[in-house]
Amino acid sequence: MSAPALAQTTNTDAVVPTPTVPTPANPSQVTPEQAPEVEQATAEGGEIVVTGFRQSYANAIAAKRNQVAITDGISSDGLGRFPDLNVGEALQRVPGVQINREAEGRNATINLRGLPGEYARLTLNGVAFAEPILNDAAPLGAFNSDIFSGIVVDKSPLANAQSGGLSGNVDLQIAPALGRKDGGFAKLAYEHNELGSRGSPAATLGYNYHVNDDFAVFGVLAYKRENFRRDSILFNSYTAFTPAQAQANISTLGSYYAASSACPSCTGTTTTRGALYNSQLRQYTRLNEGNLFTGAAGAEYRVDPETKIGVTGFYSDRNLPKTRQYLLITSNNNASILRPNANPIALDDGRYVVDDFSFSNADIVSSSRDYAQHQKTWGVNANAEWKNDDWRANVIGTVSNASNSSIEAGLDFITLQTAAGNGVNGSIRTGSGKIENYAQVLAPDPVVTTRGISTGVWGGTSFPAAYFDSADPARRTNRFKLQGSLGYARNRLLATQADLERQFEGPLTGIQGGVRFESNRFTSEGYRILGFGLPIANVTPDFLQQAGFADDFFGGKGGSPTSNWQIIDLDLALAKLRPVAVYPNGTLSPNGYNINYADNAYQLNNFVNQNNLWVVYGQAKYEFELGGITVRGNAGLRYERTKNTIDALARVSLTNVIGTPSDFRTQQFEQNYGKLLPSFIAVADITDKLVLRAAAYRTYVRPQPRQFSPSTIVSAPVNGVYAVNLGNPDLKPYDATSFDLSAEWYNRPNSLISLAGFQKRITGLIATITDPAQLCPTDSPELGLGTLTVNGDRCESSQTYTQGGITQPFLVAASGFVNQTNPITVRGVEFNLQQSLAFLPGMLRNLGGGFNYAYTTISGKTVTGADATLPGVSKHNVNVIGYYETPDYGLRLVYNLRSNYDLASAGSFTGAARQVRTRGQLDLSASYNISSALTLSLDAYNLTNAIRVEYENQQNLPRRADYDGRTYTATLRATF
């Protein structure tokens, strides 16, 4: 392992335990407790010490040196910590790992080796467990790192490793009971988030106890109060001024438009494509409040010198019921009066944009959203091992359950545009990518009110989420809206596996084989809610209040945001707006509002996805001398047979426009497929300090369950166009053939210089296609759309409609997810330098640190022939780590820099319209040993006060900026 996180400085006689724990089910995973003892540092007076920084880094290096597979990772000292805000933040110190900071709520998803997080397999002590996933990869923020002894990133999984990690396996490790030292620890901590001055207490208590030499138990329980905030400025959309608006501003915009009846004075001398402006702007604050409880416990019994049995369990419950989102949305369109305050700026792609303008008659929305998040998982691994000099047999049983829910109820008050003007006026300056130059002015104050809503009318089936202040559309000036998305997922895993190994003398050192059965059941529920049936008379002016965070929005780093910002008192409003009347033949959602069954989300997100796996593997281990060089390794083959069953919904009718549960029937889809996964790795111990590794292997990953939409959905026509989402019951996993090379030079004790290269050729990636030639369905009679034909780039139906006296065919806009045939190739280089300077004289011997750099490229074509790209992947990622440590105190500084990267647009592999700007962050960790049993530490994150910025193609066309501010944590730890 390399680039580990800083571990807690421990008492002066602490050393890494000798390897007394049982061989793990996956021998390629070795916990820090199984690594050999690290170099001991001699303090003045001859006292032997191994303090936190040195111990943590040395554990990691020792574990990496003894591996066969190519791995990296981070290590704790067993009674220590990972000095980062969460597991994902800690893992970003590992070469090839990048954290996704666009993931809100500190969910801490990661990318591994140039691939998104869902391409990696998350395991616990080498075996699978139920991950708390919903729409994306498992959020590592759902775990408290205090329960883990180490985290290994297995980059070249062998035949005995859990499958499903195309980019690699991330193994969360909990040391077993017999491998732990007797004693306990307690921790009290307080986290201060500078943005909004929000505080979070935390506490951990753990104890390890050997009842006798053959029986031991342990337990650890960790609690953290989560209470943090993120501020964002979103430049949601850009629109061209209309020709009429150009005519009204002819001196500024006339040369950007061709002459027309709407703009007779336009000349088009600069361009005829027009000029853009920011047509929708959002100031956005998210507050996250809740609790995280995480625990682990285990027992291990040595029945006799050859037999051990043990059990390890964990539990994590992250419940953020008070997550709230507050948005102030300013929208301007062709009904607005716009006045440029600056000349258009030329963009690199030939477009022009006005970055400073005034407006009147804007549409203003105060949107407040109750957005509860709840991630929960638990699992138990029971194992039995018998081992002698020649044989090893191991049996493991796993039961694990997880859930993840996101429950939204959004309330909006909207000041509507009117033909005569609504009295709203102001100005917007985007700052052209310099967020410190951003500005917004809004008048009057308050710009949003509750006026007329308590006596208003429901918008009917045309506007099912809305209430208006007037039944006459021409007289409407105010609107209230309730809507939201609810997502629930439950993941259940049951598995058993058995491994048998025979060891030999000679070049063939062992043969290992095993079988596994795994049942994985993913149950999804999803709803869109609407505003019918609200006791709207209960709306009162005190629903709206001044935003308390408006005065320190963006921590003062976001230019001049408007403080004319009203938010909804959600506790008051949600209490007064229930109970609701049930829509005829409808039902209520779990949070008490009417479900919109006509929304496609209901059909897409309510399903059960069951995978049953039968697995067999075998591998041969070898070691021999070649020209005085020891060559060792592993060659194996894994075969997996999967039966995939999906029970999904199909719409058979639509009742009362909004729909009812009886409009759907359940249909079942089934597919079976097999995967043959060879692997080979060779390790050459050139000298006792120089190690070369080479690996080749095949891996695969199943699609994220919510990518499956087996039922075809036909939406009602809009402007003569039917939207069709084609079902994909035959969607298959994607495969990769990988090659790795690694050179490692352990130039001195507890030091490492390594260089690794990899290539992954991936086939079967899932992509969205819309090409009528491929998707104009031949089975359209079954869809009720008549006979379809391709006419140029249009898919036309034999059914027609008449509009404006003209009869014309309905058009069909079909889209669907498919396994694309074009492969893509991901290549990368990872350099790691990690050095202990204990050989230097005097105080300099307390220095140490490291530098690692990862370079990643992607090549290939999409189904449309465009260059392939993957979202969230930086070409360059750098960590610079330095520490100074004595027996009494320690200091560590870490600087992380990742270069710009693309974000997904309509599809992950069809190109991305947005990029994220290069960002660097400096973190600090310090600790002081008050006594041999008491330590005080201080951690500071984002000392550089870095801001995350998105832009479109070039940085002077900003799309979003996120600000989290600095965070400080003070921790007092005691060992006993």
Side-chain angles (χ1 to χ4, degrees):
M1 290 184 258
S2 57
L6 165 65
Q8 174 65 45
T9 302
T10 63
N11 52 316
T12 56
D13 60 352
V15 295
V16 181
T18 54
T20 59
V21 298
T23 305
N26 181 358
S28 68
Q29 308 296 340
V30 180
T31 69
E33 286 73 14
Q34 292 171 286
E37 291 191 14
V38 301
E39 174 199 27
Q40 295 176 331
T42 302
E44 293 180 9
E47 186 180 21
I48 302 300
V49 296
V50 180
T51 51
F53 301 161
R54 193 179 306 276
Q55 178 176 334
S56 176
Y57 284 89
N59 287 352
I61 291 175
K64 180 179 179 71
R65 176 67 174 84
N66 293 330
Q67 294 282 2
V68 172
I70 297 173
T71 65
D72 281 294
I74 56 178
S75 172
S76 170
D77 64 0
L79 295 176
R81 61 180 178 142
F82 301 98
D84 289 282
L85 287 172
N86 51 55
V87 174
E89 291 271 1
L91 276 172
Q92 73 165 327
R93 316 298 184 200
V94 174
V97 176
Q98 300 170 351
I99 190 170
N100 297 316
R101 296 193 182 276
E102 57 268 20
E104 295 192 60
R106 292 183 183 169
N107 276 339
T109 60
I110 61 170
N111 297 330
L112 174 59
R113 281 198 156 182
L115 296 169
E118 59 266 29
Y119 288 46
R121 185 68 187 266
L122 198 62
T123 59
L124 179 76
N125 284 351
V127 294
F129 68 97
E131 301 172 47
I133 59 175
L134 184 59
N135 296 312
D136 300 303
L140 293 172
F143 306 92
N144 192 315
S145 61
D146 281 356
I147 72 168
F148 301 121
S149 53
I151 305 173
V152 172
V153 181
D154 187 357
K155 298 177 177 179
S156 58
L158 305 177
N160 62 325
Q162 302 293 294
S163 65
L166 188 147
S167 57
N169 290 359
V170 177
D171 189 42
L172 308 175
Q173 300 185 339
I174 300 174
L178 284 174
R180 294 171 175 257
K181 294 176 61 177
D182 272 0
F185 74 94
K187 179 184 92 170
L188 293 176
Y190 187 81
E191 175 184 296
H192 174 76
N193 293 279
E194 201 171 62
L195 182 61
S197 190
R198 305 172 73 85
S200 302
T204 302
L205 181 66
Y207 197 77
N208 314 318
Y209 180 61
H210 283 71
V211 178
N212 53 48
D213 289 342
D214 296 319
F215 181 56
V217 296
F218 78 91
V220 57
L221 179 64
Y223 164 77
K224 181 179 181 181
R225 174 71 180 170
E226 298 207 29
N227 185 15
F228 57 93
R229 168 178 144 192
R230 166 177 281 186
D231 290 348
S232 301
I233 302 170
L234 290 80
F235 306 91
N236 249 46
S237 57
Y238 287 86
T239 303
F241 291 91
T242 66
Q245 291 167 337
Q247 178 66 36
N249 298 278
I250 195 68
S251 62
T252 306
L253 300 177
S255 65
Y256 298 87
Y257 289 79
S260 66
S261 59
C263 188
S265 303
C266 288
T267 64
T269 53
T270 301
T271 181
T272 59
R273 297 173 61 183
L276 303 173
Y277 68 97
N278 176 229
S279 56
Q280 188 182 95
L281 173 70
R282 299 184 175 194
Q283 289 184 188
Y284 165 40
T285 286
R286 172 168 167 156
L287 307 178
N288 305 267
E289 294 185 30
N291 299 304
L292 171 61
F293 290 92
T294 303
E300 195 170 21
Y301 175 56
R302 184 182 290 107
V303 179
D304 57 46
E306 296 179 336
T307 309
K308 289 181 184 178
I309 57 175
V311 61
T312 300
F314 76 97
Y315 172 87
S316 195
D317 187 345
R318 186 186 192 218
N319 190 10
L320 306 177
K322 289 293 187 180
T323 297
R324 300 284 170 83
Q325 296 175 306
Y326 298 101
L327 295 99
L328 176 65
I329 306 172
T330 303
S331 298
N332 287 287
N333 54 27
N334 55 9
S336 302
I337 299 173
L338 304 177
R339 298 173 296 279
N341 298 325
N343 291 322
I345 298 171
L347 301 177
D348 293 342
D349 57 7
R351 296 181 297 169
Y352 291 82
V353 63
V354 173
D355 71 343
D356 189 350
F357 63 94
S358 299
F359 58 83
S360 58
N361 199 30
D363 182 286
I364 307 295
V365 181
S366 170
S367 181
S368 299
R369 303 174 186 180
D370 189 54
Y371 198 48
Q373 309 290 301
H374 194 180
Q375 301 148 2
K376 186 176 180 179
T377 182
W378 65 268
V380 176
N381 288 342
N383 74 292
E385 181 186 70
W386 175 83
K387 180 180 180 180
N388 63 19
D389 292 340
D390 297 321
W391 291 91
R392 182 184 68 85
N394 186 269
V395 177
I396 293 181
T398 301
V399 56
S400 183
N401 280 273
S403 61
N404 193 331
S405 62
S406 176
I407 306 169
E408 177 191 19
L411 308 180
D412 297 354
F413 284 100
I414 307 167
T415 300
L416 297 170
Q417 294 175 314
T418 66
N422 63 3
V424 174
N425 61 82
S427 63
I428 291 172
R429 185 175 68 235
T430 68
S432 293
K434 296 181 178 180
I435 204 64
E436 64 272 17
N437 293 334
Y438 160 77
Q440 180 178 202
V441 175
L442 281 178
D445 190 355
V447 72
V448 174
T449 70
T450 65
R451 185 185 61 251
I453 296 301
S454 62
T455 57
V457 296
W458 181 51
T461 55
S462 298
F463 300 97
Y467 289 80
F468 294 90
D469 59 346
S470 174
D472 181 0
R475 302 181 64 183
R476 292 172 176 172
T477 63
N478 209 5
R479 182 173 70 189
F480 172 76
K481 185 168 66 173
L482 183 145
Q483 63 182 359
S485 296
L486 284 66
Y488 305 86
R490 299 186 304 276
N491 199 0
R492 185 207 67 190
L493 183 141
L494 301 172
T496 182
Q497 70 180 56
D499 301 85
L500 182 65
E501 182 177 3
R502 176 71 162 91
Q503 296 184 10
F504 303 100
E505 297 289 338
L508 181 63
T509 60
I511 296 177
Q512 181 178 336
V515 295
R516 177 178 175 85
F517 172 76
E518 179 180 319
S519 172
N520 204 322
R521 183 180 181 88
F522 182 89
T523 303
S524 172
E525 295 179 53
Y527 311 97
R528 285 285 293 172
I529 59 174
L530 50 84
F532 175 84
L534 297 178
I536 200 66
N538 291 343
V539 173
T540 53
D542 57 353
F543 270 35
L544 284 172
Q545 58 185 232
Q546 172 66 18
F549 44 76
D551 291 337
D552 72 335
F553 180 71
F554 230 76
K557 306 296 181 184
S560 302
T562 182
S563 59
N564 185 358
W565 187 349
Q566 294 76 48
I567 63 173
I568 299 170
D569 184 336
L570 287 168
D571 291 326
L572 173 67
L574 293 173
K576 284 191 172 184
L577 292 177
R578 281 184 294 212
V580 306
V582 182
Y583 190 81
N585 300 312
T587 58
L588 298 183
S589 67
N591 64 342
Y593 300 101
N594 281 283
I595 297 173
N596 185 357
Y597 290 97
D599 192 286
N600 289 341
Y602 181 76
Q603 183 172 342
L604 290 173
N605 291 328
N606 288 274
F607 62 88
V608 177
N609 190 333
Q610 174 82 40
N611 285 294
N612 289 334
L613 284 74
W614 291 265
V615 181
V616 60
Y617 80 89
Q619 59 186 19
K621 302 177 181 181
Y622 61 88
E623 182 174 334
F624 57 86
E625 295 286 333
L626 182 64
I629 296 174
T630 299
V631 179
R632 53 192 169 94
N634 184 310
L637 188 65
R638 186 181 185 94
Y639 178 75
E640 300 198 353
R641 185 71 181 173
T642 301
K643 178 181 179 181
N644 176 234
T645 305
I646 302 175
D647 294 305
L649 295 178
R651 189 194 305 277
V652 294
S653 60
L654 181 60
T655 304
N656 295 335
V657 180
I658 302 300
T660 74
S662 61
D663 294 336
F664 302 88
R665 62 179 174 85
T666 300
Q667 55 184 344
Q668 187 173 91
F669 302 88
E670 182 179 307
Q671 62 173 329
N672 295 271
Y673 55 84
K675 294 291 182 181
L676 196 61
L677 307 172
S679 62
F680 177 81
I681 189 165
V683 182
D685 296 304
I686 305 299
T687 69
D688 60 349
K689 293 184 177 182
L690 180 61
V691 179
L692 304 181
R693 304 177 200 261
Y697 49 96
R698 284 187 58 82
T699 52
Y700 77 103
V701 64
R702 295 179 184 83
Q704 209 277 352
R706 282 198 163 196
Q707 286 183 317
F708 280 104
S709 52
S711 301
T712 294
I713 299 173
V714 181
S715 299
V718 177
N719 297 325
V721 180
Y722 283 98
V724 179
N725 292 338
L726 296 176
N728 54 6
D730 298 325
L731 207 62
K732 296 291 195 301
Y734 11 105
D735 304 273
T737 300
S738 301
F739 300 94
D740 292 353
L741 289 173
S742 174
E744 303 154 13
W745 181 33
Y746 300 86
N747 60 311
R748 60 174 59 91
N750 302 332
S751 298
L752 167 69
I753 303 173
S754 68
L755 181 66
F758 67 90
Q759 173 181 293
K760 296 180 180 292
R761 187 175 188 271
I762 306 169
T763 58
L765 280 169
I766 294 175
T768 304
I769 58 171
T770 57
D771 183 2
Q774 300 182 59
L775 293 182
C776 202
T778 58
D779 59 349
S780 55
E782 297 180 11
L783 304 177
L785 301 179
T787 302
L788 302 187
T789 57
V790 176
N791 182 4
D793 61 353
R794 294 154 48 107
C795 181
E796 297 181 349
S797 168
S798 59
Q799 298 179 3
T800 60
Y801 69 103
T802 301
Q803 186 177 49
I806 301 175
T807 300
Q808 50 192 321
F810 279 103
L811 302 182
V812 177
S815 62
F817 286 101
V818 298
N819 292 105
Q820 68 175 32
T821 55
N822 296 342
I824 71 165
T825 301
V826 180
R827 296 183 177 92
V829 176
E830 298 164 356
F831 174 76
N832 187 23
L833 170 69
Q834 191 170 306
Q835 296 292 301
S836 169
L837 304 182
F839 64 93
L840 293 176
M843 297 178 61
L844 295 178
R845 67 178 180 178
N846 300 318
L847 288 169
F851 167 85
N852 63 66
Y853 166 73
Y855 172 80
T856 307
T857 63
I858 300 166
S859 61
K861 298 292 184 180
T862 68
V863 291
T864 62
D867 290 337
T869 183
L870 288 171
V873 178
S874 293
K875 181 176 289 187
H876 308 281
N877 194 82
V878 175
N879 287 290
V880 181
I881 304 167
Y883 67 81
Y884 184 87
E885 180 182 54
T886 74
D888 294 326
Y889 63 89
L891 178 71
R892 187 192 73 159
L893 286 169
V894 177
Y895 183 74
N896 171 259
L897 177 72
R898 63 176 300 191
S899 64
N900 64 304
Y901 56 92
D902 290 331
L903 292 177
S905 54
S908 296
F909 309 102
T910 57
R914 297 187 182 190
Q915 297 80 38
V916 177
R917 191 171 70 188
T918 297
R919 180 184 184 277
Q921 176 171 318
L922 178 67
D923 300 332
L924 176 147
S925 296
S927 61
Y928 175 68
N929 287 342
I930 300 172
S931 69
S932 62
L934 193 63
T935 301
L936 177 66
S937 61
L938 175 68
D939 300 302
Y941 310 101
N942 193 23
L943 287 172
T944 46
N945 226 3
I947 298 171
R948 179 185 168 276
V949 176
E950 295 177 16
Y951 58 92
E952 181 182 339
N953 295 326
Q954 63 187 81
Q955 294 191 29
N956 59 359
L957 194 65
R959 300 305 299 263
R960 176 170 181 154
D962 294 327
Y963 181 73
D964 298 327
R966 301 182 182 96
T967 299
Y968 306 94
T969 302
T971 304
L972 183 67
R973 300 181 58 87
T975 59
F976 52 89

